[in-house]
Amino acid sequence: MQPEPEDLGGGLWSVPVPIPDNPLAYTLVYAVESPKGPVLIDAGWQHEDAWASLRDGLGTFGIDVSDVHGVVVTHFHPDHSGLAGRVRETSGAWIAMHHADADVVRRFHAVGQGGRREFELTALRRAGAADSELTGPSRQTPVSPPALPDLELSDGDLLDVPGRRLRAIWTPGHSPGHICLHLEDGDRIFTGDHVLPRITPHIGLYPYDTPDIDPLSDFLGSLDKVSAMTVGEVLPAHQYRFNGLSDRAQEIIGHHEERFAEVTALLSSTPVTLWDLTAGLSWRHAWADMPQQARRMAAAEAAAHLRTLETRGIVRRDGTDDPLRYVLR
């Protein structure tokens, strides 16, 4: 059940914005008061129902979208960035995101949607999927690329929120440029998808053998980073607010260490394809019941765990030919 818009006190409001046909149900968009107008943290999915919820939710507190001074995007994913461009068109607000995600958005605009399906199928074949597993729809209706930002942030930057101290904390992992935002004058932290109260964010390596990056190691390091912060209330982009940032961050680290053990247990000196290893892991739904898009994302998560195990010297890729195969060192 979607919650109602809420006045959180201290010049801060939350507005749940629905995500069509998605089990997450909604993104919590936050508005931070300032003399120049509110600054939004994330904006929600690009959809008319989402726009209506954002507009009407802000209206509950006497805020018109045209009043918005800026939009800080915690990361480029469409349930966070989708409406940022429309808010800017309506109000003249600036859009800010970390420069690493801004680079991703620029690539989206340069490449467009053409050839994406063939790219996906090639990746699945390289993972070891059989031709019989490559039929059927691959994904939801394609979404437009996020709006390009006006401001590109780095770790530690203070945002343009007059009268407030809102600081960007770079927390890569879920995306290369994911940021949390520390409201230093309110003892609160907005964690986007980095730290959620009950679930863990998707951490994937895609394409599955992209060299020289290790998103899961980045994510674990980012969890240690925020775990060391002294902060009161945690305001994530999904589910609900909570206290105890350090404890929850350490729980998520523990979850991934358990996952490393599960991956390692499926490996031996005999090479295993990425696809077969992914199918052998435990998932929320049975592998046989998972649609192709879910399997593709599962393989990306497995690949991210394998990359970190490679970095730790526990696992290695077997050869350079397709499909991708892995063995214990």
Side-chain angles (χ1 to χ4, degrees), residues 7-327:
D7 186 338
L8 306 181
L12 180 63
W13 304 273
S14 71
V15 177
V17 177
I19 311 171
D21 303 318
N22 189 296
L24 284 174
Y26 56 87
T27 300
L28 288 168
V29 173
Y30 299 97
V32 181
E33 185 180 32
S34 88
K36 289 188 177 180
V39 170
L40 303 186
I41 296 174
D42 289 328
W45 191 276
Q46 186 176 356
H47 188 277
E48 284 302 320
D49 291 346
W51 175 254
S53 290
L54 178 62
R55 179 196 63 213
D56 296 346
L58 291 173
T60 302
F61 312 113
I63 300 170
D64 193 280
V65 176
S66 63
D67 299 330
V68 173
H69 176 54
V71 182
V72 191
V73 178
T74 60
H75 59 296
F76 71 85
H77 294 167
D79 55 323
H80 298 257
S81 63
L83 285 173
R86 190 165 176 180
V87 172
R88 180 170 62 188
E89 290 171 5
T90 303
S91 65
W94 47 258
I95 298 173
M97 67 176 65
H98 189 273
H99 61 78
D101 270 17
D103 287 343
V104 175
V105 173
R106 278 190 285 271
R107 290 199 297 271
F108 283 161
H109 281 266
V111 173
Q113 295 290 338
R116 185 178 180 95
R117 176 58 174 159
E118 188 54 40
F119 178 78
E120 290 178 351
L121 292 176
T122 298
L124 293 172
R125 290 189 184 99
R126 294 201 63 218
D131 287 343
S132 61
E133 297 176 283
L134 304 180
T135 57
S138 68
R139 58 185 294 114
Q140 296 174 329
T141 303
V143 295
S144 300
L148 290 163
D150 306 289
L151 306 171
E152 297 187 24
L153 303 172
S154 296
D155 187 37
D157 283 353
L158 279 172
L159 276 296
D160 175 20
V161 189
R164 313 301 297 263
R165 290 186 62 82
L166 185 65
R167 190 178 301 277
I169 309 297
W170 183 38
T171 50
H174 184 54
S175 79
H178 189 290
I179 54 173
C180 296
L181 294 149
H182 186 196
L183 187 62
E184 295 176 344
D185 59 278
D187 194 30
R188 286 160 154 163
I189 187 168
F190 306 92
T191 56
D193 282 2
H194 183 54
V195 181
L196 301 170
R198 286 193 297 105
I199 60 175
T200 58
H202 171 72
I203 311 295
L205 179 64
Y206 193 75
Y208 303 137
D209 61 340
T210 306
D212 304 323
I213 63 170
D214 185 353
L216 185 50
S217 287
D218 290 342
F219 177 64
L220 296 175
S222 298
L223 288 170
D224 275 332
K225 182 178 183 177
V226 298
S227 181
M229 296 177 65
T230 301
V231 67
E233 189 175 32
V234 182
L235 297 92
H238 304 288
Q239 300 185 318
Y240 51 84
R241 306 186 306 280
F242 64 99
N243 292 295
L245 174 62
S246 180
D247 288 346
R248 179 57 184 149
Q250 292 302 314
E251 283 179 3
I252 297 172
I253 291 171
H255 160 78
H256 284 286
E257 292 299 333
E258 291 173 1
R259 195 65 155 172
F260 288 133
E262 185 181 3
V263 171
T264 303
L266 294 174
L267 294 168
S268 67
S269 59
T270 302
V272 178
T273 69
L274 172 60
W275 198 250
D276 286 343
L277 185 142
T278 305
L281 293 170
S282 58
W283 302 100
R284 183 172 301 176
H285 302 289
W287 180 257
D289 298 332
M290 292 168 64
Q292 186 184 109
Q293 171 72 358
R295 290 185 178 189
R296 185 177 70 86
M297 293 181 68
E301 289 197 14
H305 283 80
L306 286 163
R307 173 56 53 80
T308 299
L309 289 169
E310 288 182 275
T311 302
R312 294 180 178 184
I314 297 170
V315 169
R316 65 175 175 84
R317 182 177 167 189
D318 181 66
T320 57
D321 296 333
D322 294 342
L324 301 170
R325 301 176 186 273
Y326 297 87
V327 296

